[in-house]
Amino acid sequence: MPKYSTLKPKVLLHVCCGTCALYPYFLLKKDFDVTLFYYNPNLYPEKEYVKRLEGIKTISKKYSIPLVTGKYEIKKWLRLTTDFKDEPEGGRRCTQCFSIRLDRTACTAKKLGFDLFGTTLTISPHKDHNIINSIGLELASAKGINFYQTNLKKKNGFKKTIELSKKLNLYRQNYCGCVYSKK
Ligand code: SF4
């Protein structure tokens, strides 16, 4: 009998779309038991939310990855970001948007008994991984759960995930996701 458990830690990985989830999933699955978590109330219009969810469902089914889906709470998201609606991409609206999505991920991970939570948001070349990681760490400390810090765009992470997505013919969006970024 081994003296230690061979079970991998269970991570709830927040994902924003199928394309961005692919490379991170393959990277993390070496060390973690990964479950995907789709919670993106920022997405507009609703058909965009559904399209990205379809991409997630495709990879969940293809690679037998467990998937947990949150609610589409766009009214709540709009209310919580309204003060920053005129901010440029990368500004305070985005920080608030990361917080909303990661807060729900942390709470869900804690509630469902995961060892830690993480996000694929750091794979985007347009997003600052330092901001995302510091939000994750703050939430982790507040909720009493661990956060897995990443900078998934390094080592050509973004390019790699696009290549994997092309092979599966997954939907790839051309805007970040909210009504303001669509404009
Ligand atoms: S631009 Fe992207 S990260 Fe920023 S608020 Fe909109 S959806 Fe969220």
Side-chain angles (χ1 to χ4, degrees), residues 18-19 22 26 58-59 62-63 159-172:
T19 294
L22 276 169
F26 288 114
T58 300
I59 66 166
K62 183 168 177 62
Y63 300 109
K159 191 169 169 245
K160 285 175 188 162
T161 215
I162 295 288
E163 282 162 6
L164 289 165
S165 169
K166 282 182 183 167
K167 281 184 193 156
L168 293 185
N169 203 23
L170 286 183
Y171 167 67
R172 294 195 306 281

Side-chain angles (χ1 to χ4, degrees), residues 42-43 52 77 81 84 87-98 101 121 127 175-182:
N42 52 315
L43 297 180
R52 297 191 197 189
W77 186 90
T81 57
F84 312 122
E87 291 263 331
E89 199 161 327
R92 286 178 296 172
R93 187 185 70 243
C94 298
T95 303
Q96 177 77 323
C97 180
F98 302 150
R101 291 188 277 171
L121 289 171
K127 294 182 175 66
Y175 69 107
C176 189
C178 66
V179 61
Y180 311 114
S181 63
K182 193 167 172 58

Side-chain angles (χ1 to χ4, degrees), residues 69-83:
T69 305
K71 287 185 188 158
Y72 180 53
E73 302 172 315
I74 190 160
K75 283 187 187 157
K76 180 180 170 186
W77 186 90
L78 286 168
R79 182 168 40 80
L80 293 173
T81 57
T82 190
D83 288 349

